[in-house]
Amino acid sequence: MLIREAASEDWPAIWPFFHTIVSAGETLTYPLDLGKEDAEGWWFVPAPSRVVVAVDEAGTVLGTAKMNRNHMGNGSHIASATYMVDPAHSGRGVGRALCQYSVDWARAEGYRAMQFNAVVETNTRAVKLYQSIGFDVIGTLPEGFNHPTEGYVGIHIMHKAL
């Protein structure tokens, strides 16, 4: 697996799983009806943010990550990231590789910490992954997320000092 800078030419490969994940409404706080054009603008953010893709030896896009400042101004020393792995390629370490890549990127860019603002508590695979990389749940917003099958569930704020 190779992680490289994403290009606009990657969007046609990202969009199908992006759309599947977002429209399922189980893990992200994005609008469920986010259209292809708007979604591309939400995902491909300008520098100093960074967007990468994980690809296999054939060049197939397996997943993607968006890395950015969590806040502006006096809070701009904290990084954040969002990850999406094509469900057809889950369980192959893509999410772990993207998460570790983003931590390494944030550290190299001089960020002091990473914070995830809204990790849905029912997304136990993501919570476990982030904890295994050194993130802690520092708070939970009760009923902060309306899950399509579980109802109102908490969203974790997760943090890792760099």
Side-chain angles (χ1 to χ4, degrees), residues 12-83:
I14 295 170
W15 169 247
F17 66 85
F18 183 106
H19 178 65
T20 297
I21 292 166
V22 170
S23 65
E26 296 177 351
T27 58
L28 296 169
T29 58
Y30 289 12
L32 302 182
D33 60 351
L34 190 59
K36 185 176 183 179
E37 217 173 276
D38 288 337
E40 184 176 10
W42 280 43
W43 197 252
F44 280 90
V45 290
S49 299
R50 185 156 193 218
V51 179
V52 297
V53 289
V55 298
D56 66 12
E57 55 282 343
T60 302
V61 174
L62 309 172
T64 183
K66 174 178 73 164
M67 301 164 282
N68 50 276
R69 290 182 177 132
N70 195 36
H71 297 289
M72 303 303 288
N74 289 346
S76 64
H77 58 284
I78 308 298
S80 191
T82 305
Y83 315 99

Side-chain angles (χ1 to χ4, degrees), residues 14 35 41 62 68 73 75 87 98-99 104 123 127 137 152 157:
I14 295 170
L62 309 172
N68 50 276
L98 288 167
C99 187
D104 295 342
N123 190 358
V127 172
V137 174
Y152 290 100
I157 299 167

Side-chain angles (χ1 to χ4, degrees), residues 2-3 6 16 18 32-33 55 71 85 88 96 124 126 143 146 157:
L2 169 73
I3 297 177
F18 183 106
L32 302 182
D33 60 351
V55 298
H71 297 289
V85 175
R96 175 173 297 283
T124 56
E143 297 188 351
N146 188 5
I157 299 167

